[in-house]
Each structure stands twice: as structure tokens, then as C-alpha cells.
Amino acid sequence: MDAQYNPKVVEANAQQHWQQNQVFKAVVDSNKEKFYCLSMFPYPSGRLHMGHVRNYTIGDVISRFQRSQGKNVLQPMGWDAFGLPAENAAIKHGVAPAKWTLENIAYMKNQLKQLGFAYDWDREVTTCQPEYYRWEQWFFTQLVNKGMAYKKKSAVNWCPHDQTVLANEQVHDGGCWRCGTTVVRKEIDQWFIRITQYADQLLDGLDQLPGWPESVRAMQRNWIGRSEGLRIRFPLPQAIAGLEHLEIYTTRPDTLMGVTYMAIAADHPIAQHAATLRPELADFISECKAGGTSETELANQEKKGMATGLFAKHPISGQEVPIWIANFVLMEYGTGAVMSVPAHDQRDWEFAQAYGLPIQQVITGQQGEVIDLSQQAFTDKGVLINSGELDGLDFQQAMDKLAEVLGAKDLGSKQVNYRLRDWGVSRQRYWGAPIPMMTLADGQQVPAEDFPVELPTEVVMDGINSPIKNNPEFEQTQWQGQAATRESDTFDTFMESSWYYARYCSPHYQEGMVDPTEANYWLPVDQYIGGIEHATMHLLYFRFFHKLMRDQGLVQSDEPAKRLLTQGMVLAETYYRSQNGTKEYYTPEQVDLTKDDKGRVIKALLKADGQPVEIGGMEKMSKSKNNGVDPQALIDLYGADTARLYTMFAAPPEQSLEWREDGVQGAHKFLQRLWRAVTAFAEQSKAPALAKTELNEAQKATRRKVHETLQKVTQDYAERFAFNTVVAANMELFNHLSRHELNGPQDLAVVAEGYQVLLQLLAPICPHICHELWSLLQQGDILDQPWPVLDSEALVRDSITLVVQVNGKVRARLQVSATATEEEVKALAFADEQVQKFAPQDKVKKAILVPGKLLNLVVAG
RNA sequence: GCCCGGGUGGUGAAAUUGGUAGACACAAGAGACUUAAAAUCUCUCGAUCGUAAGGUCGUGCCGGUUCGAGUCCGGCCCCGGGCACCA
């Protein structure tokens, strides 16, 4: 065996062994407990990035650990292959999206194989292939037939110059990324799925997911945003645009008597009507429509409004309330109108201040304290005042009373409302799964009956319009003998990623979306791993789709994944120069760093011109910041085990990971030391059987370290996902073993046991080197070994270190017998010089003993 | 703006249930080996005062609870993620 660690050879050997023996092929076996470990599949952007390496290493470590615990593990991989970047690449490089995507997949698949991930490649799924999306199309038509999918008007980002729809990321500072033209919101017909009908199930289901991080559950709870309030109708003096009332929803009905104006969306029918009467309103309405559809943009824009000159009647007082058009009210949320109470809502308060509208206090504190409304609104719930017969009521009493009073007049009722909106699945793009619908001559919408509705792949992109739009070859078709026009919008790519986990169970099944035998065995997913950025959207659609599939009789469980691990981002240092307000970023290779005497980076110079560049700090690795580290270079230089070890050691999985080249070298050095030590040890004469009862102190100490490590590491893998401390504990164990002097046969026996345990503990993280080194010490494949058994007798200690504190400060450390009583411990403590100095026995008022840990003596100040 | 995280030495981090702050590494410094370098091995390594023993301070900031707070509570600052057409 080579004395030098050569990862290229070691890794190729191990990977060949796994492939030849088909060791990661997952087969249904009702006698074994299954474990389905799923990592979020990648978008095939070209090459793997460090975020992928991190995500998939975590998944692989969990999979390999679970396998070592005797589980029947399924770990699949596939490609989220539809999406916008393929269209951009097509335009930029003149290559069709399908070709570009498939080439990327081939390259990235090879990279994943080099990293040694234990995937069952026979279950690979590629979402842009018709055999995948045909089932998604079929499923959508089932939803249409059930009334779960419908078409309605909804706003998109529209570039008036290019006459095209833009994604949010294609809108830069309110303008089109290509031509800079101010983007406007335009209403177009689009398909929606009724996720709001499942809002309560999605909310209640969160309580059944103790294996999901509380932060993700909190974000989903807030995203769904269940609220209880009143739907209130403000009568209009005369009907406007066919409406007799202006209808609003409020969660603060207790403030109803403080309403001083109404605010409606620019798209509201009343606003449209008002604009026909007053041209300046029409101008204001088009101004309101400028800008993108994103909530960030809407929340940050300056609040603007204009009075319509129209009034609504207050449902209780009958007073006239002016109706304003406001740019922060959106037609798509609720009823497109709100009642405004500037005294008790901060946004309304600011709006009232800006436009000189009256502020009427109707809520006061519980003790009737004086409220100052001159600086800000008072938004706490309290007691009603200035509200006629409602005076003195609290929030709940006021809501109940108003529901009763308004209900009697048919002007209001209690209502549960959700922030969650129905899922818009239409995209006006080419590279997606065609929406399987047709429009007949009379405008009727009918679902396709034959699947797949195939997306043509031999296309030329013009950079603006989808090649399947206004394309008679694609659009003209027949439905039951009638001429029909195909829908030329495609699905949101969140559709594909909402059910891929189920398709992995039977990726080649021809008879339906999922094979019930496989699905019922493998589902639900036992462990899901992916980025925290997916906390609300993907993970909510994923849970929703599972419930839709359950209600279609395709799967049996209520939730798709039992446990979820959200891994942090991979960050790296950025270097840039600012020119005319834009930043030009440089790669780490392009700069030289100057450090101070403590090793802190204080200056960065561009190699090209020797002039300084700005140090931008740690940011998420990305192309635009030029700070991405290509995992390929890392694999080529150090091997897969080093890449895997470093990503696991550098930070706990849920935190962001700061990339540092010298840390990678450190991980590599550890593997080199391990290699040298084990190969040298394997050349020693063969170790005899371990004689547990005949060990000397050093041998006992080493065995204790081995079994302490076994205990800690097993727990860290299984319960805490603390892979960084797994690595640290294994390093500690290695340091101990490599320093254990080999003086006799029992030293060999103890150290042999130690190295075998170490290799098994480390194998999920560094599988190649452990595979190879195991073969030097023992027969058989390390993958097939039963997990080491903890010897609790090896853990026993005769004496322990006990800390003595005085008023919480450490003053002494005592070696005491593990069985010492409280009296014995105190006697020892008071015999200590330091303890006597700070805590003379007669001054001690209280003593707190934490057995096995510390004694705290409390003395008077 | 709203929701969710995070902040500990020169650096990445550890401290699992409120009980010894800094495990394990990286960087740096010193030494051994070497003709030399690389590699390897050994030692030092939070700040500060002290010859030393040891003292004092120290987990973003301010305050609180407790015998005891990195950990719990209240307020604030900074950084990151998400906000429905990037995936």
C-alpha cells in the first residue's frame, strides 16, 4: 500500500467497487425499515457550486449513517430542468434551451459521481422530459375537473416597449432589464390552483411536523396568515359601476367609529368609474400602475393617494366618508378596498398626516391613560371611546356586538381571512411544461385528453417572445372534432418540484403518476434537506401538492416529509471597485492580500495594477459577485473526501459557511495524517484479542476515549445533525490513538479497536478513504459492518474534576472520587487554599452542589 | 415596510437541559529535524496587570431574572434569508 495518500486512486477504486456491486440500488423490502433521504434537486445551471456540494454532502452523510444503522435507504437525485436561465443562455449563446439543459445535466452528473454520493441513479428524474411532465399535465386536468384550478385575471410585470411579460428579476429599479422602459402592472388571464381551499389544512398540519425547524413552521404560519375579522359593507349613496356598497375586510372592527376615509386600489371598479368623471384621476391611476408587482417594491414605495370626490356612508353613523385611491391598496388582496383609521393604524396615520385628513381617536388604554396621537398612531388593543353605545367595550366585545348589529342590517359579518393567495401557475414563457388546456371557438376552456402535450424542442429564441406563442403549428389543434386553440402559457416551475419526490419512487412507471406499491413503501420522505430560502414557497407548494395527491388517492400520508433540515448558504470574501455607482467584482485569484501581525487582512491590491480594491465582506457565492469557488478545482486538487470533510467541519449545517482556502488544506492534512497512521499501524504484527479486564491505566484511558467518542458521535449523527462536532470528536480520537505508545500486545488490541471504530464513525463523511483503510485492518466492505457496540463499562471513571466557585467565580478545581458524598466534597473544598481565601467557612451562607460538575459557595458581599 | 435567522479570540467554530467560555481546527510566533527548502514533529497563542502565584475584564449594545446567564426575559444596533414570475 502507498505510504502517500493518493485520493485520485483511492476514490476511483471505491467508486468502482460501489458501482460494480450496485450497493446503492434501492429495492422495496418489507422486512427492513425504510429510510427515504431526499436532497432538493438542482437546477442544471452548468456546473455544481459549493451550495450544491454542501447540500448533497449533508444528504449523503445522513443516508450513509442511516444505512449503517441497518435501514433500507433510498437516496435519489434528479434535475429541476425547466426554468428561465435556459432561455437566457439560449439567447446569449444561440443554443436551444433543451440542448443546453441536457449538456449541463451530463456535466453535473459526472461531478456528482466524482463526489461519491450514494445515489440510486436508476431513479434519476429529469423534469423537462415528456415522460415526467405528462403526469403533471394529467394531474392538472384532474384539478380542473374538480374545480380546483380556474382561470382569472391577474397582474404581471409588463414592458410596454418590448410588449412582453417580465419576471421580477428582469425588472431593475422599476424598468425593463433590456430597454429600461418603465415597467407597468398589466392584468392578463392566468390559471390558478385553489391553495386557499387547503389553507386550514396547511396551517394545522404544521403542528404535526415536530421534525421541521420551528423557524420554517413560523414562516409558513405567517405566510398563510389566518386572521379573524369582519367583512363590512359601506353603503354607497347611489350605485357606482353596478355596486351598491363598498366592501372591506378588517381585523380591527373595534376601530370602526374612527374611520375618516376609505382607500381603494387603482384597479377597483369605483376608481375606474371615478376616472371617467375626472381626467386627473385617470393620470393618477396610470401612475399607480407603474412599477413591478413585487411586495418589496410596493411596501417601500412612497405612499400616494388622490380623493375621488365620491363618498360612502358609514354603516353605523351614516356619515359620509370620502373615498380615496391609494397606491398601496392592491385589487388582488382581499376586496381591493380598506377602511382607514389613522388614529389606530400607523400607515393610515402617515397617509392622513400627508394629506391633512382628520384623525379620530376611538381606542384608549386599559386604564384610560391619555394617548398622544401627534407623533404616531396608537395601535394597541384597548377600550372603546367616542363610539356611542360601543363605549367601554374591549376588542372582542366590540367585534361580537358589531357582527350582531351589522349582521341584522346585512352590512357585515364575521369572516376568517388568509393572507395566502391562490397559486398562479401560468407563465408566458417557452421553457416550461405546456399547460394542457384548449380554448374552443366559443371561448370555452377544455382540458387536453392526450398526454403529453409536448413542448417542441427544436426552436429558435428571438429574445423576447416565446416560440410557441402565435405559432400555429403548436397552437392549432382539435378537440372532439372541433377546431381548438392550445394554451401557449407554460407551468410555473414550482409545479415540477412539488411532486418529484413522489416520482422518484417509480420514475419509469407507465401506468400512472406513481406506482402505489413503491409509493406506499417509500413515502413519506424521512429526511428532506435543502436551502432555507425555500422555507415558504417551495415547501408550502410541496406540502400542498402532497395533500392534492392524497385526495386523488395517489399517496396515503398527510405530509410529504417527516423531517426537514435547512442548510445555510456558502459565503466567500468579495473584492470590488466602484465606478460610476456600479461595482466591478474581482475573484480572489486576482488580488493580493496584506495581513497585519495578527493575521488579519488589512489591505487588498489588484495584481494587474497594484492598486487597492475594496474588501466587501463575506457574501453568498454568486456569479455576479465573482466570489464563487468551483468545486471541480477542489476535487482535482484534494479529492472528494477533503471537499466533503471541509464542508462538514467548517460550520454546523444550518449556519452559513464561510469559505476559506487554508481550512481546506487543514482538512486535507488530517486525511494525510490518518492515512499515514493507519497504513503504518496495519504493518505492525497482528493485534491479539482484547482482554478487557487486564488493561493498564493508559490502555483503559484510550478505550474510554474510543467509547466516549462512539457515544457522542452516534448521538450527533442521529439526533443533532452536528456533523462539525462529529469531525472534531474524530480528530480528538485520532490524536489520542496516534499518541498511544505500542508497548505490548494489548496496546495493539486497544488501538486496533480504536482505529476500526474511528473509520466507521468517519465513513459517512469520508467514505472513500475509510473504505480503503478498512480493508487494511479487516475483511469485508465497511458499508456492511454492523455499527460498533457501546461498551458502557469502558466509560466508567474513578475520579472526576469538580469545580469550586465562590459567588459564581471559579476559584479551584478538585480531583474527587466519582462516588464522593456532598460532605466529602465540601471538606475537600474548604481544605483548599484558594477557597479559604475567598470563602472562609464561617462566611458561607449557602452551598449549591451540582453532582459531578461543581460546587458554588455563596458568601455575603 | 413585513416575516424568519444570526452576532463568541487574529479566523472558522465548541459549550447538547441555566453550571469550568474558547473543545477541534486554521492563521501567526518560537523550536527540532535538514547543507537548504518543502514536508513532518514539539511548544505558545482572548485582553490586561503581575517576576510568579494569581488578580481583573471578556460571548454585538443597554437593562433585568438567578447562588450562577453565551444560554432565559425586555429594549436597541448591525448583518443575512424570504416577500408570491430566480430556483
Side-chain angles (χ1 to χ4, degrees):
Chain A
M1 184 51 56
D2 282 355
Q4 268 297 306
Y5 169 47
N6 184 343
K8 275 205 172 59
V9 175
V10 170
E11 290 174 5
N13 282 346
Q15 285 168 14
Q16 198 188 5
H17 170 84
W18 297 330
Q19 190 167 354
Q20 276 172 358
N21 294 285
Q22 296 266 301
V23 289
F24 303 124
K25 190 168 173 57
V27 180
V28 170
D29 178 352
S30 53
N31 295 317
K32 273 176 108 180
E33 192 183 342
K34 65 92 183 178
F35 191 92
Y36 182 178
C37 183
L38 178 68
S39 292
M40 289 182 185
F41 62 170
Y43 177 79
S45 56
R47 324 190 101 208
L48 287 187
H49 55 70
M50 290 311 309
H52 294 131
V53 174
R54 189 178 194 198
N55 193 159
Y56 303 148
T57 302
I58 293 167
D60 199 47
V61 168
I62 294 172
S63 293
R64 287 173 180 269
F65 174 74
Q66 290 296 335
R67 184 198 165 104
S68 77
Q69 305 299 299
K71 306 272 179 67
N72 187 22
V73 174
L74 165 60
Q75 191 186 200
M77 185 42 70
W79 310 96
D80 189 12
F82 277 134
L84 208 47
E87 296 195 8
N88 296 336
I91 296 157
K92 198 171 166 191
H93 301 120
V95 55
K99 186 167 181 284
W100 182 83
T101 302
L102 294 176
E103 284 170 2
N104 288 347
I105 288 173
Y107 185 85
M108 291 168 76
K109 186 173 176 180
N110 182 46
Q111 290 190 300
L112 290 175
K113 287 191 166 181
Q114 287 180 62
L115 283 159
F117 297 135
Y119 297 135
D120 177 357
W121 282 109
D122 293 345
R123 292 173 181 266
E124 182 178 3
V125 151
T126 305
T127 60
C128 65
Q129 288 173 345
E131 50 267 40
Y132 182 81
Y133 66 71
R134 63 178 294 191
W135 297 111
E136 184 173 307
Q137 292 174 330
W138 167 80
F139 192 68
F140 182 77
T141 62
Q142 303 305 301
L143 295 179
V144 171
N145 292 340
K146 284 181 178 178
M148 277 299 294
Y150 64 100
K151 210 169 191 184
K152 72 166 181 185
K153 279 219 181 326
S154 172
V156 293
N157 299 313
W158 179 256
C159 173
H161 176 266
D162 288 347
Q163 293 283 297
T164 192
V165 177
L166 300 173
N168 283 339
E169 70 163 7
Q170 297 173 323
V171 179
H172 293 172
D173 296 326
C176 172
W177 67 338
R178 277 184 289 260
C179 58
T181 309
T182 297
V183 168
V184 298
R185 289 192 291 275
K186 186 185 178 190
E187 301 259 321
I188 62 171
D189 264 328
Q190 306 194 73
W191 287 97
F192 283 80
I193 303 180
R194 291 187 201 278
I195 192 172
T196 50
Q197 228 169 70
Y198 281 69
D200 270 325
Q201 280 192 53
L202 289 166
L203 185 64
D204 297 342
L206 292 171
D207 298 330
Q208 314 305 314
L209 292 171
W212 282 41
E214 185 48 48
S215 59
V216 172
R217 290 190 283 163
M219 279 190 261
Q220 293 212 346
R221 241 175 243 126
N222 292 330
W223 187 266
I224 294 166
R226 185 183 192 277
S227 66
E228 290 176 7
L230 246 49
R231 180 176 270 259
I232 302 176
R233 304 164 84 184
F234 285 64
L236 296 166
Q238 61 265 346
I240 305 171
L243 298 172
E244 305 208 345
H245 302 90
L246 175 54
E247 194 164 271
I248 59 98
Y249 171 81
T250 179
T251 56
R252 288 299 302 270
D254 57 323
T255 64
L256 180 61
M257 301 313 290
V259 171
T260 57
Y261 62 100
M262 309 297 286
I264 61 174
D267 295 318
H268 197 282
I270 292 174
Q272 300 290 328
H273 173 79
T276 62
L277 307 175
R278 299 172 57 187
E280 71 270 26
L281 279 173
D283 291 345
F284 180 68
I285 287 171
S286 43
E287 194 189 318
C288 285
K289 288 186 176 182
T293 55
S294 80
E295 191 175 323
T296 315
E297 225 174 306
L298 295 168
N300 290 331
Q301 73 188 352
E302 195 192 338
K303 311 283 178 286
K304 283 186 190 166
M306 191 178 267
T308 58
L310 301 170
F311 294 84
K313 273 189 174 164
H314 193 285
I316 301 287
S317 71
Q319 279 183 345
E320 290 205 325
V321 184
I323 301 173
W324 283 62
I325 299 171
N327 65 350
F328 55 84
V329 181
L330 272 195
M331 202 55 215
E332 313 199 344
Y333 297 81
T335 60
V338 295
M339 67 178 212
S340 297
V341 186
H344 304 294
D345 179 281
Q346 189 58 26
R347 187 176 65 184
D348 294 347
W349 184 92
E350 285 165 19
F351 192 85
Q353 291 287 337
Y355 291 99
L357 291 157
I359 296 172
Q360 166 68 24
Q361 185 189 351
V362 292
I363 303 291
T364 192
Q366 300 291 347
Q367 273 76 47
E369 22 322 19
V370 175
I371 307 289
D372 177 14
L373 291 171
S374 66
Q375 299 306 310
Q376 57 179 11
F378 176 73
T379 57
D380 295 354
K381 284 175 184 170
V383 178
L384 278 72
I385 56 168
N386 303 331
S387 297
E389 43 182 288
L390 301 169
D391 279 357
L393 299 184
D394 66 15
F395 171 82
Q396 194 57 49
Q397 293 165 334
M399 171 133 98
D400 293 344
K401 176 85 180 173
L402 281 168
E404 186 194 319
V405 171
L406 294 172
K409 294 195 270 184
D410 195 24
L411 290 178
S413 57
K414 283 192 183 175
Q415 201 192 348
V416 171
N417 208 46
Y418 300 93
R419 203 187 75 96
L420 181 69
R421 316 197 300 261
D422 275 341
W423 179 10
V425 295
S426 293
R427 296 293 179 268
Q428 295 70 42
R429 306 188 200 296
Y430 157 72
W431 190 234
I435 296 177
M437 298 297 295
M438 290 172 270
T439 309
L440 304 183
D442 62 2
Q444 196 194 336
Q445 298 286 324
V446 292
E449 290 168 336
D450 297 314
F451 305 99
V453 176
E454 211 165 330
L455 183 74
T457 52
E458 301 290 320
V459 296
V460 177
M461 306 286 297
D462 70 2
I464 295 174
N465 292 303
S466 162
I468 58 171
K469 287 205 175 283
N470 303 313
N471 173 345
E473 226 175 289
F474 178 80
E475 289 182 327
Q476 284 182 11
T477 186
Q478 297 251 311
W479 181 77
Q480 299 187 353
Q482 299 181 48
T485 310
R486 278 200 196 286
E487 174 68 70
S488 60
D489 279 359
T490 52
F491 279 132
D492 177 7
T493 57
F494 277 124
M495 286 284 279
E496 286 88 63
S497 53
S498 292
W499 68 285
Y500 74 115
Y501 69 98
R503 187 65 183 173
Y504 277 140
C505 296
S506 50
H508 311 297
Y509 190 58
Q510 296 292 308
E511 318 303 318
M513 201 166 174
V514 291
D515 177 346
T517 314
E518 295 268 347
N520 293 340
Y521 178 76
W522 294 112
L523 294 177
V525 170
D526 293 278
Q527 180 68 58
Y528 197 23
I529 305 123
I532 184 67
E533 64 271 24
H534 296 293
T536 42
M537 306 189 65
H538 162 65
L539 288 170
L540 196 65
Y541 295 139
F542 166 74
R543 293 182 56 223
F544 172 48
F545 234 82
H546 191 81
K547 292 176 194 301
L548 290 174
M549 288 167 72
R550 176 200 62 195
D551 293 347
Q552 187 73 26
L554 295 165
V555 297
Q556 292 178 329
S557 42
D558 289 330
E559 291 287 342
K562 284 189 204 163
R563 297 217 283 190
L564 172 71
L565 189 153
T566 50
Q567 114 259 6
M569 293 169 307
V570 180
L571 315 177
E573 195 67 74
T574 54
Y575 306 97
Y576 67 89
R577 276 181 190 160
S578 290
Q579 274 169 337
N580 318 324
T582 59
K583 288 177 177 175
E584 190 183 348
Y585 285 90
Y586 302 99
T587 66
E589 290 78 39
Q590 289 175 287
V591 297
D592 275 326
L593 301 179
T594 313
K595 294 180 178 180
D596 67 6
D597 55 1
K598 288 192 167 168
R600 221 177 338 208
V601 174
I602 49 169
K603 206 160 67 172
L605 301 176
L606 191 67
K607 284 177 184 169
D609 59 14
Q611 295 302 304
V613 295
E614 300 291 326
I615 300 170
M618 285 288 173
E619 298 195 55
K620 183 179 174 176
M621 279 190 185
S622 69
K623 252 186 196 144
S624 60
K625 301 270 168 66
N626 235 331
N627 64 341
V629 172
D630 185 358
Q632 193 60 49
L634 196 69
I635 297 166
D636 293 342
L637 198 56
Y638 300 109
D641 281 339
T642 295
R644 297 169 60 119
L645 181 65
Y646 175 73
T647 52
M648 291 302 94
F649 182 50
E654 272 153 321
Q655 275 181 35
S656 51
L657 185 156
E658 301 189 9
W659 191 260
R660 226 165 274 277
E661 182 68 23
D662 42 28
V664 179
Q665 286 173 18
H668 190 63
K669 274 191 216 165
F670 172 72
L671 294 182
Q672 285 176 324
R673 279 203 300 275
L674 178 69
W675 179 269
R676 276 198 305 272
V678 177
T679 51
F681 181 78
E683 284 170 15
Q684 300 267 344
S685 54
K686 200 167 157 44
L690 189 65
K692 286 189 209 173
T693 53
E694 291 161 29
L695 303 179
N696 62 30
E697 283 309 309
Q699 291 159 352
K700 271 194 206 161
T702 296
R703 270 208 97 219
R704 190 189 310 125
K705 188 74 190 172
V706 170
H707 285 269
E708 279 174 355
T709 306
L710 172 59
Q711 185 176 43
K712 180 194 165 51
V713 165
T714 306
Q715 190 198 3
D716 284 357
Y717 270 131
E719 293 159 30
R720 297 208 307 147
F721 301 115
F723 309 123
N724 54 329
T725 59
V726 166
V727 174
N730 278 321
M731 285 175 167
E732 272 189 66
L733 174 59
F734 174 73
N735 290 342
H736 196 115
L737 291 174
S738 61
R739 281 168 197 156
H740 186 106
E741 287 183 28
L742 301 174
N743 297 321
Q746 282 303 306
D747 289 312
L748 288 176
V750 166
V751 173
E753 183 198 20
Y755 278 133
Q756 286 172 32
V757 169
L758 174 62
L759 291 176
Q760 283 191 268
L761 295 182
L762 197 60
I765 296 172
C766 301
H768 309 89
I769 191 173
C770 292
H771 169 90
E772 189 75 37
L773 292 177
W774 178 266
S775 69
L776 302 181
L777 298 179
Q778 277 290 346
Q779 301 289 309
D781 186 338
I782 191 171
L783 286 175
D784 299 330
Q785 304 307 310
W787 197 245
V789 177
L790 184 70
D791 181 354
S792 49
E793 279 177 32
L795 299 175
V796 174
R797 282 171 184 275
D798 299 333
S799 73
I800 52 158
T801 305
L802 190 102
V803 163
V804 183
Q805 295 182 336
V806 177
N807 289 346
K809 285 192 183 182
V810 179
R811 297 301 180 184
R813 290 182 172 82
L814 306 174
Q815 276 301 118
V816 302
S817 154
T819 55
T821 64
E822 182 160 358
E823 292 315 308
E824 288 166 343
V825 165
K826 278 186 188 166
L828 277 167
F830 287 122
D832 186 277
E833 201 183 321
Q834 277 294 113
V835 175
Q836 279 175 14
K837 191 168 136 194
F838 288 95
Q841 198 160 358
D842 56 335
K843 293 272 177 61
V844 173
K845 298 169 71 179
K846 194 175 171 186
I848 295 131
L849 180 73
V850 182
K853 295 239 162 154
L854 62 78
L855 176 71
N856 190 15
L857 302 171
V858 184
V859 295

